[in-house]
Short mmCIF file of all heavy atoms in Angstrom, two decimals:
data_model
loop_
_atom_site.label_atom_id
_atom_site.label_comp_id
_atom_site.label_asym_id
_atom_site.label_seq_id
_atom_site.Cartn_x
_atom_site.Cartn_y
_atom_site.Cartn_z
N ALA A 1 -0.86 66.51 -18.33
CA ALA A 1 -1.27 66.65 -19.73
C ALA A 1 -1.24 68.11 -20.17
O ALA A 1 -0.81 68.44 -21.28
CB ALA A 1 -2.67 66.06 -19.92
N LYS A 2 -1.70 69.02 -19.29
CA LYS A 2 -1.69 70.45 -19.63
C LYS A 2 -0.27 70.98 -19.78
O LYS A 2 -0.04 71.94 -20.52
CB LYS A 2 -2.43 71.24 -18.54
CG LYS A 2 -3.94 71.04 -18.55
CD LYS A 2 -4.60 71.82 -17.43
CE LYS A 2 -6.11 71.58 -17.43
NZ LYS A 2 -6.79 72.28 -16.30
N ALA A 3 0.66 70.35 -19.09
CA ALA A 3 2.07 70.76 -19.20
C ALA A 3 2.76 70.13 -20.39
O ALA A 3 3.95 70.37 -20.62
CB ALA A 3 2.81 70.38 -17.92
N GLY A 4 2.01 69.33 -21.17
CA GLY A 4 2.59 68.72 -22.36
C GLY A 4 3.17 67.35 -22.15
O GLY A 4 3.82 66.80 -23.03
N GLY A 5 2.95 66.76 -20.95
CA GLY A 5 3.50 65.45 -20.67
C GLY A 5 2.47 64.34 -20.83
O GLY A 5 1.32 64.58 -21.17
N THR A 6 2.93 63.13 -20.57
CA THR A 6 2.06 61.96 -20.62
C THR A 6 2.01 61.34 -19.23
O THR A 6 3.05 60.96 -18.69
CB THR A 6 2.58 60.93 -21.63
OG1 THR A 6 2.65 61.53 -22.92
CG2 THR A 6 1.68 59.70 -21.68
N PRO A 7 0.82 61.23 -18.64
CA PRO A 7 0.72 60.64 -17.31
C PRO A 7 0.66 59.12 -17.37
O PRO A 7 0.01 58.55 -18.24
CB PRO A 7 -0.58 61.22 -16.77
CG PRO A 7 -1.41 61.48 -17.99
CD PRO A 7 -0.45 61.79 -19.11
N LEU A 8 1.35 58.45 -16.45
CA LEU A 8 1.37 56.99 -16.38
C LEU A 8 1.03 56.62 -14.93
O LEU A 8 1.81 56.86 -14.02
CB LEU A 8 2.76 56.48 -16.75
CG LEU A 8 2.88 55.07 -17.34
CD1 LEU A 8 2.14 55.00 -18.67
CD2 LEU A 8 4.35 54.74 -17.56
N ALA A 9 -0.16 56.09 -14.72
CA ALA A 9 -0.60 55.76 -13.37
C ALA A 9 0.04 54.46 -12.88
O ALA A 9 0.30 53.55 -13.68
CB ALA A 9 -2.12 55.66 -13.32
N VAL A 10 0.26 54.37 -11.56
CA VAL A 10 0.86 53.18 -10.95
C VAL A 10 -0.07 52.69 -9.84
O VAL A 10 -0.53 53.49 -9.01
CB VAL A 10 2.25 53.48 -10.38
CG1 VAL A 10 2.86 52.22 -9.75
CG2 VAL A 10 3.18 54.04 -11.47
N VAL A 11 -0.33 51.37 -9.83
CA VAL A 11 -1.20 50.78 -8.81
C VAL A 11 -0.52 49.54 -8.25
O VAL A 11 0.13 48.78 -8.99
CB VAL A 11 -2.59 50.43 -9.41
CG1 VAL A 11 -2.44 49.46 -10.57
CG2 VAL A 11 -3.52 49.88 -8.35
N ARG A 12 -0.62 49.34 -6.92
CA ARG A 12 -0.06 48.15 -6.28
C ARG A 12 -1.15 47.49 -5.45
O ARG A 12 -1.77 48.12 -4.58
CB ARG A 12 1.12 48.53 -5.40
CG ARG A 12 1.80 47.33 -4.72
CD ARG A 12 2.99 47.77 -3.89
NE ARG A 12 2.55 48.69 -2.83
CZ ARG A 12 3.38 49.51 -2.18
NH1 ARG A 12 4.66 49.53 -2.50
NH2 ARG A 12 2.91 50.31 -1.24
N ASN A 13 -1.39 46.23 -5.79
CA ASN A 13 -2.44 45.46 -5.09
C ASN A 13 -3.76 46.23 -5.05
O ASN A 13 -4.43 46.29 -4.00
CB ASN A 13 -1.98 45.11 -3.67
CG ASN A 13 -0.83 44.12 -3.68
OD1 ASN A 13 -0.66 43.35 -4.63
ND2 ASN A 13 -0.02 44.14 -2.63
N GLY A 14 -4.12 46.84 -6.15
CA GLY A 14 -5.39 47.52 -6.27
C GLY A 14 -5.44 48.90 -5.67
O GLY A 14 -6.49 49.57 -5.72
N GLN A 15 -4.34 49.39 -5.09
CA GLN A 15 -4.31 50.71 -4.46
C GLN A 15 -3.48 51.68 -5.31
O GLN A 15 -2.33 51.39 -5.67
CB GLN A 15 -3.72 50.60 -3.05
CG GLN A 15 -4.56 49.77 -2.10
CD GLN A 15 -5.98 50.33 -1.97
OE1 GLN A 15 -6.18 51.50 -1.63
NE2 GLN A 15 -6.97 49.48 -2.23
N LEU A 16 -4.08 52.82 -5.61
CA LEU A 16 -3.41 53.83 -6.43
C LEU A 16 -2.27 54.48 -5.66
O LEU A 16 -2.46 54.93 -4.52
CB LEU A 16 -4.42 54.90 -6.87
CG LEU A 16 -5.54 54.41 -7.80
CD1 LEU A 16 -6.62 55.47 -7.94
CD2 LEU A 16 -4.97 54.06 -9.17
N LEU A 17 -1.08 54.51 -6.29
CA LEU A 17 0.10 55.10 -5.65
C LEU A 17 0.41 56.50 -6.17
O LEU A 17 0.94 57.34 -5.43
CB LEU A 17 1.33 54.20 -5.86
CG LEU A 17 1.23 52.77 -5.31
CD1 LEU A 17 2.52 52.02 -5.60
CD2 LEU A 17 0.94 52.78 -3.82
N GLY A 18 0.14 56.74 -7.45
CA GLY A 18 0.46 58.05 -8.02
C GLY A 18 0.68 57.96 -9.52
O GLY A 18 0.26 56.98 -10.16
N VAL A 19 1.35 58.96 -10.02
CA VAL A 19 1.52 59.09 -11.47
C VAL A 19 2.98 59.37 -11.81
O VAL A 19 3.64 60.17 -11.13
CB VAL A 19 0.63 60.23 -12.02
CG1 VAL A 19 0.80 60.35 -13.54
CG2 VAL A 19 -0.83 59.99 -11.68
N VAL A 20 3.47 58.71 -12.84
CA VAL A 20 4.80 59.00 -13.38
C VAL A 20 4.62 60.02 -14.51
O VAL A 20 3.78 59.85 -15.39
CB VAL A 20 5.47 57.72 -13.94
CG1 VAL A 20 6.85 58.06 -14.49
CG2 VAL A 20 5.57 56.67 -12.86
N TYR A 21 5.41 61.09 -14.45
CA TYR A 21 5.37 62.16 -15.45
C TYR A 21 6.33 61.81 -16.58
O TYR A 21 7.55 61.85 -16.42
CB TYR A 21 5.75 63.47 -14.77
CG TYR A 21 5.67 64.72 -15.63
CD1 TYR A 21 5.76 65.97 -15.04
CD2 TYR A 21 5.52 64.68 -17.02
CE1 TYR A 21 5.69 67.15 -15.77
CE2 TYR A 21 5.46 65.83 -17.77
CZ TYR A 21 5.55 67.06 -17.15
OH TYR A 21 5.49 68.21 -17.89
N LEU A 22 5.78 61.42 -17.73
CA LEU A 22 6.60 61.17 -18.93
C LEU A 22 6.55 62.42 -19.81
O LEU A 22 5.47 62.93 -20.12
CB LEU A 22 6.06 59.98 -19.72
CG LEU A 22 6.10 58.61 -19.05
CD1 LEU A 22 5.50 57.56 -19.98
CD2 LEU A 22 7.51 58.22 -18.66
N LYS A 23 7.70 62.89 -20.17
CA LYS A 23 7.75 64.13 -20.94
C LYS A 23 8.37 63.90 -22.31
O LYS A 23 9.38 63.22 -22.44
CB LYS A 23 8.57 65.18 -20.19
CG LYS A 23 8.57 66.55 -20.88
CD LYS A 23 9.33 67.58 -20.05
CE LYS A 23 9.30 68.93 -20.74
NZ LYS A 23 10.06 69.96 -19.98
N ASP A 24 7.70 64.47 -23.33
CA ASP A 24 8.29 64.51 -24.67
C ASP A 24 9.36 65.58 -24.66
O ASP A 24 9.06 66.76 -24.45
CB ASP A 24 7.23 64.87 -25.72
CG ASP A 24 6.56 63.64 -26.29
OD1 ASP A 24 7.22 62.60 -26.34
OD2 ASP A 24 5.39 63.72 -26.68
N ILE A 25 10.59 65.19 -24.88
CA ILE A 25 11.70 66.14 -24.82
C ILE A 25 11.81 66.87 -26.16
O ILE A 25 12.07 66.25 -27.20
CB ILE A 25 13.04 65.43 -24.50
CG1 ILE A 25 12.89 64.58 -23.23
CG2 ILE A 25 14.15 66.45 -24.36
CD1 ILE A 25 12.54 65.36 -22.00
N VAL A 26 11.58 68.17 -26.12
CA VAL A 26 11.69 68.98 -27.34
C VAL A 26 13.16 69.09 -27.72
O VAL A 26 14.02 69.32 -26.87
CB VAL A 26 11.08 70.38 -27.12
CG1 VAL A 26 11.33 71.28 -28.32
CG2 VAL A 26 9.58 70.25 -26.87
N LYS A 27 13.46 68.92 -28.99
CA LYS A 27 14.85 68.93 -29.45
C LYS A 27 15.50 70.28 -29.19
O LYS A 27 14.88 71.33 -29.34
CB LYS A 27 14.91 68.61 -30.96
CG LYS A 27 14.57 67.18 -31.28
CD LYS A 27 14.73 66.89 -32.76
CE LYS A 27 14.49 65.42 -33.07
NZ LYS A 27 14.63 65.13 -34.51
N GLY A 28 16.77 70.23 -28.83
CA GLY A 28 17.52 71.45 -28.57
C GLY A 28 17.66 72.30 -29.82
O GLY A 28 17.97 71.78 -30.90
N GLY A 29 17.41 73.59 -29.68
CA GLY A 29 17.57 74.52 -30.80
C GLY A 29 16.40 74.57 -31.75
O GLY A 29 16.40 75.37 -32.69
N ILE A 30 15.37 73.70 -31.53
CA ILE A 30 14.27 73.66 -32.49
C ILE A 30 13.45 74.95 -32.43
O ILE A 30 12.93 75.42 -33.45
CB ILE A 30 13.37 72.43 -32.23
CG1 ILE A 30 12.51 72.11 -33.46
CG2 ILE A 30 12.48 72.63 -31.03
CD1 ILE A 30 13.26 71.46 -34.57
N ARG A 31 13.35 75.56 -31.24
CA ARG A 31 12.60 76.81 -31.12
C ARG A 31 13.24 77.91 -31.95
O ARG A 31 12.55 78.70 -32.60
CB ARG A 31 12.51 77.23 -29.64
CG ARG A 31 11.57 78.38 -29.39
CD ARG A 31 11.51 78.76 -27.91
NE ARG A 31 10.51 79.79 -27.69
CZ ARG A 31 9.24 79.56 -27.45
NH1 ARG A 31 8.80 78.31 -27.38
NH2 ARG A 31 8.38 80.56 -27.27
N GLU A 32 14.58 77.97 -31.92
CA GLU A 32 15.29 78.98 -32.71
C GLU A 32 15.10 78.74 -34.21
O GLU A 32 15.01 79.70 -35.00
CB GLU A 32 16.78 78.96 -32.36
CG GLU A 32 17.12 79.48 -30.96
CD GLU A 32 16.71 78.54 -29.85
OE1 GLU A 32 16.57 77.31 -30.12
OE2 GLU A 32 16.54 79.00 -28.71
N ARG A 33 15.05 77.47 -34.60
CA ARG A 33 14.87 77.16 -36.02
C ARG A 33 13.48 77.59 -36.49
O ARG A 33 13.30 78.10 -37.59
CB ARG A 33 15.08 75.66 -36.26
CG ARG A 33 16.47 75.20 -35.91
CD ARG A 33 16.70 73.76 -36.29
NE ARG A 33 16.95 73.63 -37.71
CZ ARG A 33 17.18 72.47 -38.32
NH1 ARG A 33 17.16 71.37 -37.63
NH2 ARG A 33 17.40 72.42 -39.60
N PHE A 34 12.48 77.40 -35.63
CA PHE A 34 11.13 77.84 -35.99
C PHE A 34 11.06 79.36 -36.04
O PHE A 34 10.31 79.93 -36.83
CB PHE A 34 10.11 77.29 -35.00
CG PHE A 34 9.85 75.81 -35.15
CD1 PHE A 34 9.63 75.00 -34.06
CD2 PHE A 34 9.85 75.22 -36.41
CE1 PHE A 34 9.41 73.64 -34.20
CE2 PHE A 34 9.63 73.86 -36.57
CZ PHE A 34 9.41 73.07 -35.47
N ALA A 35 11.84 80.03 -35.20
CA ALA A 35 11.89 81.49 -35.25
C ALA A 35 12.47 81.96 -36.58
O ALA A 35 12.01 82.95 -37.17
CB ALA A 35 12.72 82.03 -34.08
N GLU A 36 13.47 81.22 -37.08
CA GLU A 36 14.05 81.53 -38.38
C GLU A 36 13.01 81.37 -39.49
O GLU A 36 12.90 82.20 -40.40
CB GLU A 36 15.25 80.62 -38.67
CG GLU A 36 16.49 80.95 -37.87
CD GLU A 36 17.65 80.04 -38.25
OE1 GLU A 36 17.58 79.40 -39.31
OE2 GLU A 36 18.62 79.96 -37.48
N LEU A 37 12.25 80.27 -39.40
CA LEU A 37 11.21 80.04 -40.40
C LEU A 37 10.17 81.16 -40.36
O LEU A 37 9.66 81.58 -41.40
CB LEU A 37 10.54 78.69 -40.16
CG LEU A 37 11.38 77.45 -40.47
CD1 LEU A 37 10.70 76.20 -39.96
CD2 LEU A 37 11.63 77.33 -41.96
N ARG A 38 9.86 81.63 -39.16
CA ARG A 38 8.89 82.72 -39.04
C ARG A 38 9.44 83.97 -39.72
O ARG A 38 8.69 84.73 -40.36
CB ARG A 38 8.60 82.97 -37.55
CG ARG A 38 7.31 83.73 -37.29
CD ARG A 38 6.99 83.75 -35.81
NE ARG A 38 6.66 82.41 -35.33
CZ ARG A 38 7.43 81.71 -34.50
NH1 ARG A 38 8.55 82.23 -34.04
NH2 ARG A 38 7.08 80.50 -34.11
N GLN A 39 10.75 84.21 -39.59
CA GLN A 39 11.37 85.35 -40.25
C GLN A 39 11.31 85.20 -41.77
O GLN A 39 11.24 86.19 -42.51
CB GLN A 39 12.83 85.48 -39.82
CG GLN A 39 13.01 86.08 -38.44
CD GLN A 39 14.48 86.30 -38.12
OE1 GLN A 39 15.31 85.39 -38.27
NE2 GLN A 39 14.83 87.49 -37.68
N MET A 40 11.34 83.95 -42.23
CA MET A 40 11.24 83.67 -43.66
C MET A 40 9.80 83.81 -44.16
O MET A 40 9.55 83.68 -45.35
CB MET A 40 11.74 82.25 -43.94
CG MET A 40 13.22 82.06 -43.67
SD MET A 40 13.72 80.32 -43.36
CE MET A 40 13.25 79.53 -44.88
N GLY A 41 8.86 84.04 -43.24
CA GLY A 41 7.47 84.17 -43.64
C GLY A 41 6.75 82.84 -43.75
O GLY A 41 5.71 82.75 -44.42
N ILE A 42 7.30 81.80 -43.08
CA ILE A 42 6.71 80.46 -43.17
C ILE A 42 5.98 80.14 -41.87
O ILE A 42 6.53 80.30 -40.78
CB ILE A 42 7.80 79.41 -43.44
CG1 ILE A 42 8.45 79.67 -44.81
CG2 ILE A 42 7.22 78.00 -43.40
CD1 ILE A 42 9.63 78.77 -45.09
N ARG A 43 4.74 79.68 -42.01
CA ARG A 43 3.93 79.29 -40.86
C ARG A 43 4.17 77.81 -40.59
O ARG A 43 4.08 76.98 -41.48
CB ARG A 43 2.46 79.56 -41.16
CG ARG A 43 1.48 79.09 -40.10
CD ARG A 43 0.08 79.61 -40.43
NE ARG A 43 -0.94 79.01 -39.55
CZ ARG A 43 -1.70 77.99 -39.89
NH1 ARG A 43 -1.58 77.44 -41.09
NH2 ARG A 43 -2.60 77.51 -39.06
#
């Protein structure tokens, strides 16, 4: 969760096996577009 993902726990016959790391994939180039907006003076 701290890394920005979504944890999905897995259990088999009542025994905890671990967690699947689901990640929201940030769109490519979006960081650069926000940098442009910052240059435009937009928050």
Side-chain angles (χ1 to χ4, degrees):
K2 288 178 181 177
T6 301
L8 207 63
V10 180
V11 59
R12 182 178 61 198
N13 293 334
Q15 296 302 305
L16 294 169
L17 300 180
V19 180
V20 180
Y21 184 168
L22 296 179
K23 185 177 181 181
D24 269 331
I25 307 299
V26 173
K27 290 184 176 179
I30 199 76
R31 189 180 185 88
E32 290 72 23
R33 298 186 79 180
F34 287 143
E36 287 183 16
L37 289 170
R38 199 171 293 111
Q39 283 185 310
M40 294 158 60
I42 297 174
R43 175 172 171 261

